[in-house]
Amino acid sequence: MARPRQTVLTRQRIVEVAAGLVDTEGLDAVSVRRLATELGVAGPSLYHHFATKNDILDAVADAVVARVDVSAFATLGWADALRHWARSYHAVLCAHPHIVPVLAQGPGRRPAALAMADTVYGALIDAGWPPARATHIGALMRYLVTGSALGSFAQGFDEDPGVYAERYPHLRDAHLLAEHRRSVDEGAFELGLETVITGLVALRNGVRQ
């Protein structure tokens, strides 16, 4: 009689299952016990690949960042490349919003995140930005992208018009924002991105070498 086929456990498989849990249920859904159950293995076997739950979440976060397109930095000028990269980064994070709090902590030792940071910083330096300013720009773009992906502005208001009618007259239409979530949130991101890029171009033109 043939023996039952054992589940082949790999680092990639653990990350895939953990990512699915994060996407559907949030960060709190990920635990070694839950992952072992989902994978059909004994809990201790996961420790051959990851030392802690945080290591697993780091790997999930890095897998998400690896999907961000940074190719524009090799073909476009720094301003257009920043636009292309920021839009790709924003789209990727909006597709996986529950992992954003992990990403917002910074790249740590995550390979894909460090490679992305290296590409962006290197492109800015090559374009003539002073190192300190290149660092500021990288930080500013991360604030814009991760901040916009952390939550919906449009869905932050109660849908009961009675909340605003008397006490907050300037917000009398705030209850309608949730119905227009995409246009409001995406419009705000695009406005912020264009404002930042326009300001950086103006600043760059005034930088003395």
Side-chain angles (χ1 to χ4, degrees), residues 45-117:
S45 62
L46 271 68
Y47 292 115
H48 293 298
H49 300 276
F50 294 98
T52 66
K53 168 187 170 178
N54 286 339
D55 289 340
I56 296 172
L57 292 177
D58 266 351
V60 171
D62 214 38
V64 169
V65 169
R67 301 172 189 173
V68 178
D69 184 4
V70 296
S71 63
F73 289 104
T75 59
L76 301 178
W78 67 268
D80 286 334
L82 277 181
R83 283 191 184 92
H84 188 280
W85 165 65
R87 286 169 179 152
S88 175
Y89 198 6
H90 175 70
V92 168
L93 295 197
C94 286
H96 305 279
H98 292 151
I99 199 64
V100 174
V102 177
L103 292 170
Q105 297 172 9
R109 297 187 177 187
R110 299 191 291 271
L114 289 171
M116 183 173 73

Side-chain angles (χ1 to χ4, degrees), residues 90 94 148 151-155 173-174 176-192:
H90 175 70
C94 286
S148 65
S152 167
F153 175 84
Q155 288 192 319
D173 294 326
L176 301 174
L177 288 175
E179 298 178 12
H180 307 283
R181 173 184 177 181
R182 182 166 184 174
S183 63
V184 172
D185 291 347
E186 291 299 318
F189 171 74
E190 284 294 327
L191 175 61

